[in-house]
Amino acid sequence: MENISIEPTKKSLEVECAAGYFKLSGNSILSDPRKFFQPIVEWVEDYIKDPSDKTTVDLKLEYVDTASVQSVFDIMRLFKPLQDKDKEVAVNFYFEFDDPELLELGEIMEGRLGIKFNFIEYQ
């Protein structure tokens, strides 16, 4: 399985997909988020068939529009079955100290997904 590495733009996320590591970072203000996220979804679907014993997920979102939030949630949902396979999933959710809305988004995702998040505040 080939890794994915996407450089960020002002409107799109930085993406890293490698065995044992997954990262989404930056802004997601996309006219067609499904098109952007489709190869990422496919990568995660392949990865969970033969995952590492531990998978670290870093989410460092700055601004995510409503359509992109759904895509991020859908991707994160794919990681849930790993816990059922006795694999460790460590989700690090980074948020700026002055952005309570983003923190709330992380808390909602954690509750709906049933995956424990590590909330990490930064300035």
Side-chain angles (χ1 to χ4, degrees):
M1 175 165 51
E2 211 169 299
N3 294 347
I4 294 177
S5 183
I6 300 172
E7 291 296 317
T9 68
K10 289 181 182 178
K11 294 187 175 189
S12 68
L13 296 166
E14 174 185 4
V15 179
E16 294 291 331
C17 301
Y21 184 69
F22 180 81
K23 174 183 174 182
L24 297 177
S25 179
N27 296 309
S28 188
I29 311 162
L30 304 168
S31 57
D32 188 358
R34 288 186 183 173
K35 182 178 179 183
F36 178 84
F37 286 106
Q38 187 58 39
I40 300 163
V41 168
E42 291 171 3
W43 186 92
V44 174
E45 288 173 341
D46 284 344
Y47 172 73
I48 62 172
K49 292 174 186 173
D50 186 24
S52 300
D53 288 336
K54 179 180 180 179
T55 302
T56 300
V57 178
D58 285 337
L59 298 177
K60 192 172 186 181
L61 308 172
E62 292 172 21
Y63 179 81
V64 183
D65 64 20
T66 304
S68 296
V69 166
Q70 184 61 52
S71 294
V72 170
F73 183 82
D74 290 344
I75 289 169
M76 291 303 299
R77 183 183 300 139
L78 295 172
F79 286 104
K80 174 68 174 156
L82 295 183
Q83 292 179 326
D84 301 333
K85 296 179 180 179
D86 292 325
K87 303 291 183 181
E88 184 181 349
V89 179
V91 179
N92 300 312
F93 191 92
Y94 296 85
F95 65 98
E96 287 191 74
F97 73 100
D98 63 348
D99 193 348
E101 292 87 8
L102 190 58
L103 174 59
E104 183 179 5
L105 172 63
E107 291 170 340
I108 290 168
M109 287 177 67
E110 176 186 43
R112 290 189 179 165
L113 292 168
I115 299 173
K116 173 77 174 107
F117 281 25
N118 302 310
F119 291 98
I120 302 168
E121 183 178 17
Y122 70 95
Q123 293 188 14

